[in-house]
Amino acid sequence: MNPQKRFKIFELLSKATPHPTTELIYQTPFQLLIAVILSAQATDKSVNKATLLLFNKAPNAKRLAQMQLKDIELCVKTIGLYKTKAKNILETAKIIDAEFEGLVPQDRLALEALPGVGRKTANVMLNTIFHEPTIAVDTHIFRIANRINLAPGENVLQVEKKLIKLTPKEFLQDAHHLLILHGRYTCIARNPKCSVCVIYDLCEYKKKLKTK
């Protein structure tokens, strides 16, 4: 895919979604971090239901760090892998409260050292909260990058590095959410909605559906 086509793709996506952002509901950086940890292999909708209960009881790191594990589990039990996630967010809350005065660190290594936080979650925080031009490659972005030949790669790290290198700078800050939202609602895994796709004419997906 040439640079001109890549630029046009992001231009059209940004016009279709002028203010792209996460669909997770949060009030503070700490709440977003907890929500993202819980969102692994879960929908944003299910996470938002769980965090509504959790954040009413513990809106910050100090309060969450003081909760009993069983009480956290009750709040998030509707989410997959909830026992592991409950343990991780409790330990993460304790570390942030004790070592970072309740504030989420703006540092990749510090973020990735937290229980339940990997590179993808760290990238979400660095991009969404600290406005760094990072891209967290989830299943949607990985699919689109390979499907339309935007930044093909064999694994998420390859795709991430390619996207950061090849995405036009003016779109790099928003690229993460633009691609996620496009993958979630239009370029879905099965039966992509080609008939309503704003980048249909630019897409290099060999099996894309005819719209006429």
Side-chain angles (χ1 to χ4, degrees), residues 87-106:
K87 183 179 178 181
N88 284 337
I89 63 175
L90 176 58
E91 292 305 312
T92 286
K94 288 179 179 179
I95 292 170
I96 289 179
D97 179 46
E99 299 182 18
F100 299 101
E101 299 180 342
L103 301 176
V104 176
Q106 186 180 354

Side-chain angles (χ1 to χ4, degrees), residues 108-212:
R108 177 182 297 282
L109 291 178
L111 284 167
E112 291 186 17
L114 296 169
V117 178
R119 184 177 182 87
K120 186 176 75 172
T121 298
N123 278 341
V124 171
M125 298 303 298
L126 292 172
N127 178 264
T128 306
I129 297 300
F130 300 113
H131 308 295
E132 293 189 14
T134 58
I135 296 177
V137 179
D138 69 347
T139 55
H140 296 302
I141 295 181
F142 186 77
R143 178 176 68 253
I144 290 175
N146 281 285
R147 176 183 275 175
I148 74 170
N149 201 33
L150 184 67
E154 295 181 359
N155 55 60
V156 293
L157 186 57
Q158 282 185 11
V159 170
E160 178 192 324
K161 289 182 175 180
K162 277 191 176 182
L163 281 172
I164 290 174
K165 178 182 178 181
L166 298 173
T167 300
K169 288 184 179 180
E170 50 265 71
F171 301 112
L172 192 52
Q173 174 63 44
D174 288 333
H176 167 71
H177 289 115
L178 285 172
L179 293 174
I180 284 179
L181 293 171
H182 186 63
R184 185 173 291 168
Y185 296 110
T186 304
C187 198
I188 56 180
R190 295 181 180 180
N191 303 316
K193 301 176 182 179
C194 297
S195 62
V196 296
C197 180
V198 297
I199 61 169
Y200 178 85
D201 293 335
L202 302 164
C203 171
E204 295 184 4
Y205 181 38
K206 294 179 180 178
K207 297 180 181 179
K208 68 181 177 181
L209 305 175
K210 292 182 179 180
T211 60
K212 293 181 182 179

Side-chain angles (χ1 to χ4, degrees), residues 11-44:
E11 184 178 50
L12 290 172
L13 289 176
S14 64
K15 284 181 179 179
T17 310
H19 306 290
T21 189
T22 180
E23 293 183 311
L24 293 169
I25 297 172
Y26 68 98
Q27 299 296 323
T28 66
F30 174 75
Q31 289 186 3
L32 178 60
L33 176 63
I34 297 305
V36 177
I37 294 173
L38 292 171
S39 72
Q41 300 178 45
T43 65
D44 287 359

